[in-house]
Amino acid sequence: MTPMDLAFMHAPTGLALTENRIVRQCNLRFAEMFGDAVGVFTDMPLERLYPSVKDYEKVARVGGDSLRKTGRYSDERVMRRLDGELFWCRVRGTSLTPDDPFRKGVWSLADLSAERPVVELTPRERDVAILTCQGRTSKEIGLQLNLSYRTIEAHRARLLQKFGARKLPELVAKFSGMPL
């Protein structure tokens, strides 16, 4: 192996080379993160590593816009290991073909599950969480979602409990993955 091959294969973060959202090559850390040997991921559609088709399509929409404009994209999202376990992942990518952003890309992935456990949320809890992180009050969220502010407060109370937070600022910090 050349020094470049060694660097790629043994990098401390997951790396993948993709074509049209299909893994063409990955390193040991990527394979470990998603739960199998390197060869298993060769020619695997990335769709298999997302929690749902809806999530896969959403990232294509949002990420594609960014990749076309800047050639780069990054986010933190929930991904799925081959055994079905969900985990938070930091994803950063560069398109080698910005005019056709998913034709060829280089991606780095980092497992965030130690800092940010996955917590199952209902769709309504997810809406309330997102709007809370945007700094909206219970009354503002209630108006936007066509619910009473007391219902929003009940959702927030469940979110506090699910995330083990005592106060709203602590909950927002946990949503964002900030160290506490």
Side-chain angles (χ1 to χ4, degrees), residues 15-18 21-46 48-49 80-83:
L15 297 174
L17 304 176
T18 62
R21 300 186 85 189
I22 295 172
V23 176
R24 294 300 182 202
Q25 189 176 358
C26 70
N27 70 352
L28 292 167
R29 182 65 189 111
F30 180 97
E32 176 186 289
M33 189 182 325
F34 286 99
D36 214 323
V38 170
V40 169
F41 296 96
T42 303
D43 299 328
M44 179 182 287
L46 285 171
R48 287 199 48 205
L49 305 176
R80 184 170 53 91
R81 301 185 207 285
L82 291 181
D83 68 4

Side-chain angles (χ1 to χ4, degrees), residues 5-22:
D5 292 336
L6 284 170
F8 176 82
M9 192 54 68
H10 297 282
T13 190
L15 297 174
L17 304 176
T18 62
E19 289 180 355
N20 299 313
R21 300 186 85 189
I22 295 172

Side-chain angles (χ1 to χ4, degrees), residues 161-177:
Q161 183 180 27
K162 283 184 174 185
F163 283 88
R166 294 179 307 262
K167 303 267 184 194
L168 202 54
E170 183 181 0
L171 179 65
V172 171
K174 288 183 181 237
F175 288 152
S176 67

Side-chain angles (χ1 to χ4, degrees), residues 24-174:
R24 294 300 182 202
Q25 189 176 358
C26 70
N27 70 352
L28 292 167
R29 182 65 189 111
F30 180 97
E32 176 186 289
M33 189 182 325
F34 286 99
D36 214 323
V38 170
V40 169
F41 296 96
T42 303
D43 299 328
M44 179 182 287
L46 285 171
E47 183 179 348
R48 287 199 48 205
L49 305 176
Y50 281 78
S52 69
V53 173
K54 182 179 174 184
D55 291 317
Y56 175 77
E57 291 169 351
K58 178 182 177 188
V59 168
R61 227 176 13 263
V62 174
D65 289 345
S66 179
L67 287 166
R68 271 185 282 285
K69 289 177 189 169
T70 67
R72 299 183 189 282
Y73 178 70
S74 66
D75 69 15
E76 292 180 0
R77 67 176 85 129
V78 174
M79 296 293 286
R80 184 170 53 91
R81 301 185 207 285
L82 291 181
D83 68 4
E85 178 189 2
L86 300 178
F87 70 103
W88 276 96
C89 188
R90 178 177 298 118
V91 180
R92 293 184 174 126
T94 299
S95 175
L96 303 177
T97 55
D99 55 319
D100 184 1
F102 295 114
R103 189 172 51 169
K104 286 187 183 276
V106 179
W107 297 89
S108 72
L109 298 94
D111 186 342
L112 302 177
S113 52
E115 305 94 67
R116 189 186 290 184
V118 173
V119 176
E120 293 291 326
L121 299 178
T122 66
R124 185 59 77 197
E125 287 170 338
R126 187 177 313 280
D127 292 340
V128 171
I130 290 167
L131 294 169
T132 297
C133 286
Q134 292 175 355
R136 306 271 174 83
T137 66
S138 292
K139 288 182 182 180
E140 290 169 334
I141 295 169
L143 285 171
Q144 186 166 341
L145 299 179
N146 201 26
L147 298 170
S148 77
Y149 81 92
R150 290 179 191 244
T151 300
I152 301 305
E153 288 296 321
H155 284 299
R156 281 184 169 176
R158 279 193 299 281
L159 289 168
L160 287 166
Q161 183 180 27
K162 283 184 174 185
F163 283 88
R166 294 179 307 262
K167 303 267 184 194
L168 202 54
E170 183 181 0
L171 179 65
V172 171
K174 288 183 181 237

